[in-house]
Amino acid sequence: MRYGMVISLSRCIGCNSCSIACKHENGTGPGVFWRRVVITESGKYPQAAMHALPLLCNHCEDPSCAKVCPVKATQLDDNGMVTIDAKKCIGCRYCMTACPYNVRAYVKSNDKGYFDEGLTEYEKAVYGEHKVGTVEKCTFCAQRVEEGRDPACVATCPAKALFFGDLDDPASQVVKLLKDNPNAKTLKPEAGTKPKVFYI
Amino acid sequence: MTNSASNEAKRSTAGNLILPVAGLLAVIGIVCWVLQLILGPTVLADSIPWGVYIAAFFLLAGAGSGLVFTAAAGEWGLLPALKDKRRSLLIGAAASYIAAGFMILLDLGQPVQIYNFFVSPNFTSMFVWDFLFLLVTVVLVLVCFFRKEKSKWLLGLTAVTALGIVLIEGWILAVNSAGAWNSALIPVVFLVEAIVVAAAVLLVAKGDAFEPLKKILIGLLPLLLIFSLIEMFAGNYMGASEEAAGTKLLLTGSLAPFYWGWVVLGVALPFALLLWKGKSAAMVKVAGVLAVCGVLVAKINLLVAGQALPFEGEQIGYFPSIVEIGGLLGGLGLAVFLFVLGKKFFGDTPAAAGSAQTEAAPAKAEAEA
Amino acid sequence: MSKDSLANKMSRRTFLKVSAATAAAVAAGNQLLGGNGVGVLEANAAPAAEGGWYPGVCKMCMQGDCQQRVHVVDGVVVKVEGDPQGRQNFGALCPRGNASIMQMYNPWRVKKPLKRTNPQKGLDVDPGFVEISWDEALQTVADRLKPIRESDPRKLVCVSGFGVRSALLANFEQAFGTPNDVPSRGSACAYHIAGHITHQRGPDGVPDLDRCNYFIDVGHTLGPNIANASPGTRNVLDAIERGCKIIDIDPRCSQEASKYAEWVPIRPGSELAFFLAMLHTMLYEIDKLDIWYLKARTNGPYLIDPEGEFVKDGSGKPLMWDEEADRAAPFDTPDYMNCALEGTFEVDGVTCHPAFQLVKDQMKEYTPEWSEQHTTISAATVRRIANDFVEHAQIGATVDIDGFTFPLRPVGIVSERGPYQHTNCGPMQDFVTKIICQMVGAIEVPGGMSGCSMPHPDWLKPDEEGIRIANYEAGADYYGYPWSWPPNLADLRQFYPVSHTLVWALPKTILEPEKYHMDYRVEALMSCGGGPVRSGFDREAFEKAWAAVPFHFVFALTYDENAVLADIVLPDSSFLEKDTFHGGSSAPPGHKVMVDSSRGLNVFLFRDASKITKPYDSRNMDEVLVDLADKLDIMTGPDGMAAKANNSLRNAPLDTGKKFTLREWSEASLKQTYGADKRLDAITDASGPVYFYSTRGKENYNYYYQPDNQTRTPIYYINLLRVANKFKENLEAAGLDAVPGWEGDMDYFFEAFTPIPKWMTCPEFNPPAEYDLWAINWKTPMAPFFCGDTFGNVWLHETMKKFDPYEFSIWINTATAEKKGIKDGDKVCVESRYGKAEGYVKVTELIHPEVLGFPSGHGAASSMANPITAEGPYFNALCNIDEKNRAVDPLTAGVESGPAVKIYKV
């Protein structure tokens, strides 16, 4: 089993719904985004176009973050997910500098919220799950995947541009999509990380 | 020299001030660390994972290794003028390494979990090797220092492990995929910087006394500039966009003041001062301070340039927070404080009576490393 | 509309309650993934409610019908997500829906009922609010309203907005006796009139994206830029994957347009010229029209006399000219195919022409070359698009759906907010798009254009003249909104008889009632939702007017401008913490498109919110209105609020002798719409929502109900002529020379009330030379509008700030920026003849060189709002609402929103 994601750039409308869904699914605090959408343009008027590139942890087959982690806190799991063990992480952030995609986040606090007057009831309920001084990132919503549900970003995508599944299962939609799209790309292949997030 | 007496007097006044000032800075650094432990790393500047703490760590570890090199060079007759400074140099090296360790402690988000270094070390991580080499080198330095028999072989071995530290720290960045770091030249740059810092520190300590060190600086400072140009040329020649963007950031972008500041104040000015025939001893010291600060800034520039352009048109700004600056000063102060303190107790003439107190420093060094 | 027939139709059908098993069957019918094939519904199927998940409906925008699931732990809402079973959103939520948690848990909300202590009112004046109890607050409101109601209930004006508009507001108003229900929305999107007259029951005109192959999208989004979790977004992408060619005509390029076949930038306010030239090309150069459609289903063959009226026979039937028989024939002749579209004829001594001939004559001068000077679009492009449009229309093609043969015309045009928001030329250009579609027969048939409301036998029903009865804003009787004198309404609807909404009129009638011939003054204002002070195009006028009303009470989520100017502030609950009732949809889930999977979809759900702890002392507005009605003694009896509610609850009326609860009312609504045997108890959190389709397949096309020549749509807009004539009579009878504010300019006022479109310009089209650019504004996915506290939402704000460099900026074309010496990130001032807006520039290739773009409605806030609300440039400051400046459209009452501007660095 190797979980992976296929992102259809021809469907992504750059709305960042996934970025915000990720926030409440994973209860991340101010300034922390485990995923984001980069908005750019290309071409000259009037042949110009706008583009959107969703970025998240690529759950690489050869993850540079795991390679540089001095204490094996970041590891590639059997199911293909790259995970971080908060009990091991010493917070050196070597993995953050090693990640070619800049999709890791450092937990600087779990008691600072969005508002000056202290944490809201919502913030009190969710921020505590994050261990200060450790590094976090997209988990492919392992808590949802365990229940047989898609990651929050995939489920919420208004354009249905995101697809999640087992890259080892020939019947899975991600495998079919990759078969139909032999030109599927990964990000920064030159980094040698072998991402499992594909762009079509 | 007619005014050598007054110089001597000034020096001793300055010398008297060094210990309390450095001690105060060290205390500030420790206060900052405690602040971080209480408040969490919120006080760290946003967005750039590695900032001044890591730059200072590289600087101090480099300084330590540079001082080991000079000690070995003295011992092996390459720099005869340093032959009798062996103990001072080793004290300086140990102080630098300990302060470097302090910077890493400052930098870690979960220092409590550092035991995982022993419980589950990952040998593909350069950090683990860096840690091991640091540990071994510090132990060797202390052995060299306290062994009755001077062994130039042992010191030579220490120089080799010290070299390992510098190269591994260069590789920490060089094996990384970030555009501005992904260069085989970085370990070499780190090595040159280590020697520059050591030479500059010695010049600051002893002024005009070590003529060869001036020559080393005069020779190596331009080399740093040349390395920088080589990096930029190689990065841009093939039009690699990330390198080009990084170069732009340094030359004309948000890092330009720091890059050009380094070129002018960290390289050109000390170079000119050292070459100038009419220079005074004070000017040599100024040149030394400038060169050390220059290397620190160069390291910060390198770190930030490698992280500021995360992805396709995105750009992240960096300026250290007050606490980070406090921690940085603390680390530098700690190095000086330990050195002065060490010299006071174990100076160049071995004080047999001091052996009782010698236990504390290495123990502390080990604990902190 | 006939509610009964719709209700009966529904009750005959079986309820479809979706379980994981049936979801799979539904997935087979959904086109979500186009060629990729696998149903998302199936993949995501999960029980509706387990461990603390409750159903709900998202109310972060005007669409307000995305099914939501809310996860509650210890009374705290910790997650929201689209209900995977919800067939309008299939588990999706837009960024706003996802950010709704931060709407609810927001310390900038109003936390307690408040009473003003400082009698002086102003946006920058501290109201001196003190907290009071709910009881005191409602008693105060009741004490103030009672004498007003006794003297003249019209003196109370209720201003409502999207998202928080109460379901019971209308019943409260009716019981109180005020006709003054003034929606704060709509001044910037008054784009319904041409559709409401021509073919649709709107509010929107939508393409049939299951079948459309060529679509022209003008200043409009098919989904991605508004309420983007609803079907439009997915279906437009499916259509593109299927090979549908979409042309975007817009001064700016969007994410959505970047996926289309082509972006054709156009000068703002010139869209009319483009369509006139397109129609010219079709009539004079291509000459490939759907003659059958024109003869059988339009008023094209109707003979028009020199006055512009239909030539009729003795029985009042409009006449056509039968060329075979060489005589006039009534419109319902079986020989309609013999009737002339062109020519000059004489009937009873009156020279007359078929309407088609007149339309064609009018188009003669509008060549593509002529249009180029106005639009900056080349003549060749106009010809190419016209040709492609006609080619793709497949005139003559048919399609069988469920055994019924339809014409198939897979082309469409939607022209919406962008081009519409110009005085006179705005609505006019849409009438041309409707004529263009009719020329190829692409109206209410598969592949073509439709209204977004659920299909219904009444929508195309003809009147005695054989022409489909206009509805909604167009008015059903050719006279628009009923005349009353002196004006009955505070929003001046009498003077704008076919308008959309007129909140801009309120400051005028509040401050100068005499000028508008009002015989009463507005003495009380009730605001709920909406933000006319910030969105009404004249902040100062609204501030002054709101401050001048003697008593103002508001239902407020946050301290917006309404709240700061109010006497009593009643904290409204966030929709996440409200008991939620949702029955059917005001419009079907596909607001921007029609597709079979969502066209006739109905849903009912009820969420009991008792398990959700309210963070502040807020209440559900519906319940508060009931309490208020009770305190005012307008709850019970034959004219009470319960009785008024019963007008739409005839199958299951409420007890008019007592106060009703929201649950009772919801239960009655359920029985009314879904059958008397239905019980609210059965619709539990665990069972989840109930879905069913009222129409599927062939029933989704209004053509099915009036096929062949059983109805006609107008290419000759006699409605406009008749409305204008009647209106002129009414003005004269009242002794008025002009509509107040339009003195001396009545020719321009009536210019667009013309049965045949012609070239006309808005007041911004030929400005003084120094105003060398135009400013435009559009909706963005994260911030399409104010409702739901968009601009104060910290998650939306943070995401926009961090990841969208285009959002909080003023767009300028690279070449224009160079010419003006302006660089990316420069601070600039944009100035129109009416106001200024400051902001930071985004230099981009994505906008017309003559245009400055202002995304979204940023840049204004009350003094007590979260300061993030005020960030960004404030577009509305560049516009105005003065009739003297021709700033409001006489036809739609939309506000001119394409001001001529200049730009300079500051």
XYZ file of all heavy atoms in Angstrom, chain C residues 236-298:
515
model
N -18.698 23.238 -14.966
C -18.003 23.960 -16.039
C -16.696 23.232 -16.367
O -16.297 23.122 -17.527
C -17.778 25.443 -15.686
C -16.818 25.622 -14.545
C -17.245 26.182 -16.899
N -16.057 22.681 -15.338
C -14.813 21.943 -15.592
C -15.107 20.644 -16.342
O -14.376 20.261 -17.254
C -14.094 21.669 -14.271
C -13.623 22.947 -13.569
C -13.309 22.688 -12.109
C -12.410 23.538 -14.270
N -16.198 19.984 -15.962
C -16.615 18.788 -16.700
C -16.870 19.143 -18.159
O -16.483 18.407 -19.071
C -17.912 18.205 -16.106
C -17.687 17.565 -14.744
O -16.515 17.362 -14.377
O -18.682 17.269 -14.066
N -17.580 20.262 -18.367
C -17.937 20.648 -19.731
C -16.678 20.905 -20.555
O -16.577 20.489 -21.712
C -18.830 21.887 -19.707
N -15.702 21.577 -19.935
C -14.454 21.847 -20.653
C -13.759 20.531 -20.983
O -13.276 20.334 -22.104
C -13.549 22.778 -19.819
C -14.175 24.166 -19.736
C -12.151 22.861 -20.442
C -13.497 25.101 -18.758
N -13.742 19.615 -20.017
C -13.113 18.313 -20.272
C -13.845 17.564 -21.384
O -13.251 16.835 -22.161
C -13.085 17.472 -18.984
C -11.983 17.894 -18.046
C -11.958 17.091 -16.742
O -12.746 16.138 -16.610
O -11.145 17.452 -15.866
N -15.153 17.792 -21.451
C -15.972 17.141 -22.477
C -15.732 17.779 -23.849
O -16.057 17.222 -24.887
C -17.436 17.302 -22.057
C -18.489 16.728 -22.935
C -19.857 16.825 -22.239
N -20.270 18.174 -21.890
C -20.672 19.082 -22.780
N -20.716 18.807 -24.053
N -21.024 20.288 -22.367
N -15.152 18.977 -23.866
C -14.856 19.614 -25.147
C -15.666 20.864 -25.414
O -15.594 21.432 -26.499
N -16.446 21.300 -24.433
C -17.217 22.531 -24.613
C -16.261 23.717 -24.736
O -15.348 23.876 -23.939
C -18.152 22.722 -23.423
S -19.071 24.269 -23.455
N -16.505 24.541 -25.759
C -15.653 25.723 -25.962
C -16.299 26.903 -25.262
O -17.456 27.215 -25.522
C -15.566 26.023 -27.458
C -14.231 25.680 -28.081
C -14.218 26.050 -29.533
C -13.214 27.172 -29.757
N -13.019 27.449 -31.176
N -15.554 27.529 -24.391
C -16.113 28.690 -23.686
C -15.268 29.918 -24.010
O -14.037 29.860 -23.954
C -16.159 28.459 -22.161
C -16.886 27.141 -21.861
C -16.853 29.619 -21.472
C -17.016 26.815 -20.392
N -15.948 30.983 -24.393
C -15.273 32.242 -24.700
C -15.571 33.215 -23.565
O -16.731 33.403 -23.203
C -15.814 32.843 -26.021
C -15.796 31.806 -27.142
C -15.038 34.095 -26.402
C -14.446 31.314 -27.529
N -14.550 33.813 -23.015
C -14.733 34.758 -21.916
C -14.554 36.170 -22.453
O -13.475 36.508 -22.938
C -13.694 34.481 -20.819
C -13.883 35.404 -19.629
O -14.979 35.407 -19.062
O -12.937 36.121 -19.278
N -15.608 36.947 -22.371
C -15.496 38.347 -22.795
C -15.555 39.199 -21.545
O -16.584 39.261 -20.862
C -16.617 38.706 -23.782
C -16.468 37.822 -25.025
C -16.557 40.182 -24.144
C -17.462 38.098 -26.107
N -14.446 39.812 -21.209
C -14.330 40.458 -19.909
C -13.065 41.319 -19.939
O -12.074 40.915 -20.537
C -14.189 39.356 -18.831
C -14.460 39.867 -17.428
O -13.941 40.951 -17.083
O -15.163 39.179 -16.677
N -13.095 42.480 -19.305
C -11.859 43.276 -19.279
C -10.723 42.600 -18.512
O -9.575 42.978 -18.655
C -12.279 44.562 -18.569
C -13.768 44.593 -18.659
C -14.219 43.176 -18.706
N -11.062 41.602 -17.691
C -9.979 40.953 -16.940
C -10.064 39.438 -17.089
O -11.124 38.880 -17.341
C -10.035 41.336 -15.461
C -11.246 40.795 -14.730
C -10.874 39.765 -13.713
N -12.074 39.043 -13.278
C -12.098 38.106 -12.363
N -10.989 37.765 -11.756
N -13.207 37.485 -12.042
N -8.916 38.805 -16.898
C -8.830 37.357 -17.016
C -8.819 36.750 -15.612
O -8.150 37.260 -14.716
C -7.538 36.993 -17.757
S -7.323 35.236 -17.992
N -9.567 35.689 -15.439
C -9.652 35.029 -14.128
C -9.056 33.629 -14.199
O -8.685 33.162 -15.274
C -11.115 34.934 -13.712
O -11.819 34.151 -14.653
N -9.002 32.957 -13.053
C -8.589 31.543 -13.034
C -9.497 30.747 -13.955
O -9.058 29.882 -14.709
C -8.719 30.966 -11.620
C -7.684 31.435 -10.639
C -6.350 30.716 -10.781
O -6.155 29.893 -11.675
N -5.415 31.051 -9.929
N -10.773 31.058 -13.831
C -11.779 30.339 -14.600
C -11.576 30.587 -16.092
O -11.512 29.647 -16.895
C -13.123 30.893 -14.125
C -14.340 30.311 -14.703
C -15.577 31.061 -14.166
O -15.425 32.047 -13.412
O -16.678 30.664 -14.521
N -11.429 31.864 -16.463
C -11.273 32.205 -17.875
C -9.997 31.591 -18.432
O -9.907 31.287 -19.623
C -11.264 33.723 -18.042
N -8.997 31.417 -17.569
C -7.734 30.844 -18.029
C -7.898 29.394 -18.462
O -7.036 28.840 -19.128
C -6.685 30.931 -16.917
O -6.488 32.280 -16.551
N -8.989 28.778 -18.062
C -9.236 27.395 -18.477
C -10.127 27.349 -19.716
O -10.351 26.293 -20.284
C -9.898 26.618 -17.343
C -9.046 26.609 -16.086
C -9.580 25.676 -15.040
C -8.820 25.787 -13.736
N -7.371 25.719 -13.850
N -10.676 28.480 -20.074
C -11.568 28.535 -21.232
C -10.763 28.456 -22.520
O -9.535 28.564 -22.527
C -12.365 29.841 -21.231
C -13.386 29.982 -20.143
C -14.068 31.186 -19.972
C -13.713 28.934 -19.281
C -15.016 31.350 -18.983
C -14.668 29.096 -18.287
C -15.304 30.301 -18.141
O -16.234 30.467 -17.155
N -11.529 28.362 -23.637
C -10.877 28.314 -24.937
C -10.188 29.640 -25.254
O -9.144 29.672 -25.888
C -11.908 27.989 -26.013
N -10.774 30.736 -24.794
C -10.235 32.040 -25.189
C -10.684 33.129 -24.228
O -11.819 33.125 -23.756
C -10.769 32.361 -26.607
C -10.094 33.527 -27.281
C -10.641 33.749 -28.698
O -11.518 32.959 -29.139
O -10.202 34.702 -29.354
N -9.778 34.051 -23.974
C -10.129 35.266 -23.235
C -10.113 36.425 -24.226
O -9.087 36.669 -24.870
C -9.149 35.521 -22.094
C -9.306 36.874 -21.452
C -10.470 37.495 -21.086
C -8.260 37.796 -21.107
N -10.221 38.730 -20.535
C -8.867 38.945 -20.536
C -6.864 37.768 -21.219
C -8.129 40.047 -20.089
C -6.128 38.857 -20.763
C -6.760 39.982 -20.201
N -11.235 37.109 -24.357
C -11.323 38.253 -25.269
C -11.547 39.502 -24.432
O -12.660 39.778 -23.980
C -12.495 38.069 -26.265
C -12.546 39.238 -27.235
C -12.368 36.748 -27.004
N -10.474 40.259 -24.181
C -10.643 41.461 -23.348
C -11.471 42.522 -24.081
O -11.355 42.662 -25.293
C -9.213 41.962 -23.132
C -8.302 40.960 -23.746
C -9.094 40.085 -24.643
N -12.281 43.230 -23.318
C -13.168 44.234 -23.923
C -13.166 45.499 -23.077
O -12.928 45.437 -21.870
C -14.603 43.659 -24.026
C -15.502 44.584 -24.844
C -15.208 43.406 -22.646
C -16.832 43.953 -25.236
N -13.401 46.625 -23.734
C -13.493 47.892 -22.999
C -14.802 47.900 -22.202
O -15.856 47.569 -22.750
C -13.484 49.041 -24.004
C -13.639 50.412 -23.393
C -13.669 51.471 -24.465
N -12.354 51.655 -25.071
C -12.164 52.219 -26.267
N -13.191 52.608 -26.990
N -10.951 52.375 -26.739
N -14.752 48.278 -20.917
C -15.973 48.238 -20.109
C -17.047 49.164 -20.689
O -16.745 50.258 -21.152
C -15.523 48.754 -18.741
C -14.040 48.649 -18.732
C -13.588 48.739 -20.154
N -18.274 48.692 -20.671
C -19.391 49.514 -21.132
C -19.630 49.432 -22.631
O -20.528 50.091 -23.148
N -18.824 48.620 -23.324
C -18.981 48.534 -24.774
C -19.549 47.182 -25.199
O -19.600 46.878 -26.379
C -17.636 48.757 -25.469
O -16.809 47.615 -25.296
N -19.958 46.365 -24.234
C -20.446 45.019 -24.573
C -21.623 45.084 -25.535
O -21.771 44.226 -26.412
C -20.841 44.268 -23.295
C -19.669 43.917 -22.372
C -19.256 45.064 -21.450
O -19.860 46.169 -21.518
O -18.315 44.866 -20.650
N -22.447 46.139 -25.389
C -23.590 46.302 -26.279
C -23.123 46.363 -27.732
O -23.716 45.727 -28.613
C -24.366 47.570 -25.887
C -25.524 47.975 -26.795
C -26.560 46.868 -26.895
C -26.181 49.269 -26.290
N -22.052 47.107 -27.977
C -21.540 47.234 -29.352
C -21.102 45.877 -29.885
O -21.357 45.529 -31.042
C -20.379 48.223 -29.393
N -20.453 45.093 -29.016
C -19.998 43.764 -29.445
C -21.187 42.903 -29.874
O -21.176 42.276 -30.929
C -19.228 43.078 -28.316
C -18.857 41.656 -28.631
C -17.725 41.371 -29.380
C -19.662 40.603 -28.214
C -17.392 40.061 -29.694
C -19.336 39.291 -28.529
C -18.201 39.016 -29.270
N -22.236 42.882 -29.050
C -23.369 42.001 -29.370
C -24.178 42.512 -30.551
O -24.691 41.723 -31.345
C -24.249 41.797 -28.131
C -23.604 40.909 -27.113
C -23.349 41.353 -25.831
C -23.225 39.618 -27.457
C -22.735 40.526 -24.907
C -22.611 38.784 -26.531
C -22.358 39.248 -25.254
N -24.301 43.840 -30.668
C -24.990 44.381 -31.841
C -24.261 43.939 -33.105
O -24.881 43.523 -34.090
C -25.056 45.916 -31.774
C -26.005 46.508 -30.716
C -25.823 48.018 -30.618
C -27.469 46.177 -31.021
N -22.935 44.003 -33.063
C -22.151 43.618 -34.245
C -22.238 42.115 -34.487
O -22.265 41.656 -35.643
C -20.695 44.038 -34.057
N -22.307 41.336 -33.404
C -22.448 39.894 -33.566
C -23.787 39.575 -34.225
O -23.876 38.757 -35.156
C -22.345 39.225 -32.187
C -22.255 37.721 -32.254
S -21.951 37.025 -30.616
C -22.549 35.357 -30.878
N -24.823 40.267 -33.754
C -26.157 40.057 -34.335
C -26.172 40.520 -35.793
O -26.737 39.848 -36.667
C -27.198 40.818 -33.496
C -28.677 40.643 -33.880
C -29.058 39.170 -33.976
C -29.580 41.365 -32.880
N -25.526 41.645 -36.064
C -25.408 42.127 -37.445
C -24.775 41.047 -38.320
O -25.288 40.735 -39.402
C -24.550 43.395 -37.486
C -24.154 43.811 -38.876
N -24.832 44.781 -39.600
C -23.170 43.364 -39.708
C -24.284 44.894 -40.796
N -23.262 44.068 -40.883
N -23.693 40.489 -37.836
C -22.978 39.470 -38.618
C -23.883 38.264 -38.881
O -23.903 37.725 -39.988
C -21.723 39.016 -37.849
O -21.000 40.176 -37.450
C -20.825 38.150 -38.715
N -24.638 37.872 -37.861
C -25.523 36.719 -38.039
C -26.621 37.026 -39.060
O -27.004 36.170 -39.854
C -26.142 36.317 -36.690
C -25.134 35.694 -35.732
S -25.755 35.554 -34.041
C -27.010 34.296 -34.231
N -27.136 38.258 -39.026
C -28.262 38.601 -39.889
C -27.832 38.931 -41.313
O -28.527 38.606 -42.272
C -29.024 39.794 -39.303
C -29.830 39.511 -38.025
C -30.315 40.814 -37.406
C -31.001 38.594 -38.331
N -26.693 39.592 -41.447
C -26.321 40.107 -42.762
C -25.196 39.324 -43.421
O -25.005 39.436 -44.619
C -25.923 41.585 -42.659
C -27.120 42.478 -42.425
C -27.503 42.826 -41.142
C -27.883 42.950 -43.503
C -28.608 43.634 -40.915
C -29.000 43.761 -43.282
C -29.353 44.100 -41.992
O -30.450 44.888 -41.780
N -24.408 38.590 -42.666
C -23.264 37.910 -43.275
C -23.418 36.397 -43.249
O -23.151 35.728 -44.240
C -21.967 38.339 -42.580
C -21.700 39.841 -42.740
C -20.403 40.295 -42.075
O -19.567 39.441 -41.731
O -20.252 41.516 -41.898
N -23.848 35.856 -42.124
C -23.939 34.386 -42.037
C -25.290 33.919 -42.571
O -25.373 32.988 -43.363
C -23.749 33.913 -40.579
C -22.448 34.467 -40.023
C -23.766 32.388 -40.519
C -22.262 34.231 -38.541
N -26.327 34.598 -42.124
C -27.674 34.333 -42.607
C -28.063 32.858 -42.481
O -28.604 32.262 -43.406
C -27.812 34.810 -44.064
C -29.293 34.959 -44.429
O -30.111 35.082 -43.490
O -29.627 34.932 -45.623
N -27.704 32.263 -41.343
C -28.096 30.878 -41.096
C -28.856 30.889 -39.786
O -28.255 30.779 -38.723
C -26.833 30.016 -40.999
C -27.034 28.586 -41.429
C -25.697 27.979 -41.848
C -25.206 26.962 -40.854
N -23.841 26.507 -41.112
N -30.170 31.090 -39.869
C -30.954 31.266 -38.656
C -31.886 30.085 -38.455
O -32.167 29.335 -39.387
C -31.760 32.565 -38.754
C -30.957 33.822 -39.081
C -31.889 35.005 -39.284
C -29.937 34.119 -37.994
N -32.383 29.958 -37.236
C -33.363 28.909 -36.961
C -34.744 29.454 -37.332
O -35.480 29.966 -36.481
C -33.296 28.506 -35.488
C -34.113 27.266 -35.204
O -34.980 26.923 -36.057
O -33.897 26.620 -34.161
N -35.046 29.355 -38.626
C -36.285 29.944 -39.131
C -37.502 29.318 -38.451
O -38.459 29.998 -38.107
C -36.375 29.756 -40.674
C -35.182 30.455 -41.348
C -37.688 30.306 -41.201
C -35.112 31.942 -41.124
N -37.417 27.999 -38.252
C -38.538 27.346 -37.567
C -38.772 27.980 -36.199
O -39.888 28.341 -35.839
C -38.262 25.837 -37.386
C -39.255 25.232 -36.446
C -40.539 24.876 -36.728
C -39.065 24.976 -35.045
N -41.177 24.421 -35.605
C -40.292 24.470 -34.548
C -37.988 25.138 -34.164
C -40.466 24.114 -33.203
C -38.166 24.783 -32.835
C -39.392 24.274 -32.367
N -37.695 28.128 -35.412
C -37.863 28.694 -34.070
C -38.428 30.112 -34.161
O -39.339 30.481 -33.426
C -36.524 28.701 -33.312
C -36.681 29.182 -31.884
C -37.000 28.294 -30.862
C -36.559 30.534 -31.564
C -37.188 28.739 -29.567
C -36.746 30.985 -30.267
C -37.049 30.084 -29.264
O -37.247 30.531 -27.980
N -37.875 30.892 -35.078
C -38.311 32.289 -35.180
C -39.788 32.370 -35.535
O -40.530 33.199 -35.009
C -37.465 33.024 -36.230
C -36.032 33.338 -35.790
C -35.175 33.768 -36.976
C -36.027 34.427 -34.714
N -40.222 31.481 -36.417
C -41.625 31.544 -36.848
C -42.572 30.899 -35.837
O -43.684 31.378 -35.639
C -41.775 30.855 -38.208
C -41.171 31.677 -39.342
C -41.466 31.066 -40.698
C -40.938 31.990 -41.798
N -41.203 31.433 -43.141
N -42.132 29.802 -35.256
C -43.019 29.045 -34.376
C -42.997 29.555 -32.947
O -44.008 29.479 -32.242
C -42.637 27.566 -34.396
N -41.854 30.065 -32.511
C -41.705 30.286 -31.072
C -41.253 31.696 -30.679
O -40.921 31.930 -29.520
C -40.717 29.254 -30.480
C -41.296 27.836 -30.467
C -40.350 26.842 -29.848
N -40.221 26.958 -28.392
C -41.099 26.451 -27.519
N -42.160 25.806 -27.968
N -40.915 26.589 -26.235
N -41.210 32.628 -31.641
C -40.905 34.006 -31.239
C -41.987 34.934 -31.784
O -42.823 34.526 -32.599
C -39.554 34.504 -31.803
O -39.696 34.754 -33.208
C -38.442 33.493 -31.575
